[in-house]
Amino acid sequence: MAGKPMIMHAASCDLDEIKIPFHIAEGLDEWDRSRTWLITRTDQGLRLKHRHRHEDGSLDAVTNYGGNTNRTGTAERQEFAVDAESIASFQANDLDQSVNNVWAVEISQPGQSNAHFSYELRRPETADGRYFRVEFDLSKPVAPPPPPWGD
């Protein structure tokens, strides 16, 4: 993903769910449209899930993984600790390094000149110390991307 253009799109949003397709450029006018982030409201807080699809629209073997907020968070930042369903999926697919994942999303207050949406993944040093973060500039509108595969 490093160095490739990326785009996210809050494709739908209501009181209980936000769908955010996340595309990565694979060439001129070609996008990997396999990923959608789903943020839903639960009785205990918020849940982040990752939907992964193949180009034909079928679900990937590793999909619907993510976690729940363990703390209240803030209007700008929410953290999601890996859930039991995801741990089981990671273990079944030989992705043991992912069983300690913590994801976070951040969004700045509207109207700021440096408005951004950020997504990150962290793993503790005991797993592999991975840290991935991508920031999207919300201060300049762009054309909506094509829909994710399968939608």
Side-chain angles (χ1 to χ4, degrees):
M1 294 183 197
K4 293 183 178 183
M6 299 177 201
I7 192 168
M8 53 79 63
H9 177 226
S12 67
C13 178
D14 62 34
L15 290 176
D16 295 316
E17 182 178 71
I18 303 170
K19 289 184 181 178
I20 306 169
F22 167 47
H23 301 341
I24 302 166
E26 293 294 324
L28 189 60
D29 294 325
E30 292 182 38
W31 293 89
D32 176 336
R33 297 183 284 144
S34 63
R35 298 166 180 85
T36 301
W37 300 316
L38 302 160
I39 301 173
T40 55
R41 186 182 310 271
T42 69
D43 290 339
Q44 294 77 35
L46 296 174
R47 174 174 295 137
L48 170 68
K49 289 290 186 168
H50 300 73
R51 180 180 298 147
H52 286 261
R53 294 186 181 271
H54 297 283
E55 195 167 358
D56 67 3
S58 63
L59 290 172
D60 191 84
V62 181
T63 192
N64 205 42
Y65 61 87
N68 300 300
T69 54
N70 289 337
R71 294 178 277 183
T72 303
T74 68
E76 291 84 21
R77 182 178 173 86
Q78 296 288 325
E79 292 187 3
F80 306 85
V82 66
D83 61 25
E85 174 189 22
S86 302
I87 291 171
S89 174
F90 292 146
Q91 290 173 331
N93 288 283
D94 296 321
L95 297 169
D96 292 331
Q97 70 276 12
S98 299
V99 301
N100 295 307
N101 283 359
V102 176
W103 297 273
V105 294
E106 290 180 7
I107 189 162
S108 59
Q109 293 295 324
Q112 296 180 356
S113 61
N114 63 344
H116 70 278
F117 175 90
S118 301
Y119 165 91
E120 72 181 42
L121 162 66
R122 286 182 288 116
R123 291 188 188 137
E125 292 297 325
T126 55
D128 63 8
R130 183 174 186 187
Y131 177 75
F132 170 82
R133 181 177 171 98
V134 61
E135 292 188 10
F136 300 93
D137 181 355
L138 299 181
S139 67
K140 299 177 188 93
V142 297
W149 295 330
D151 279 1

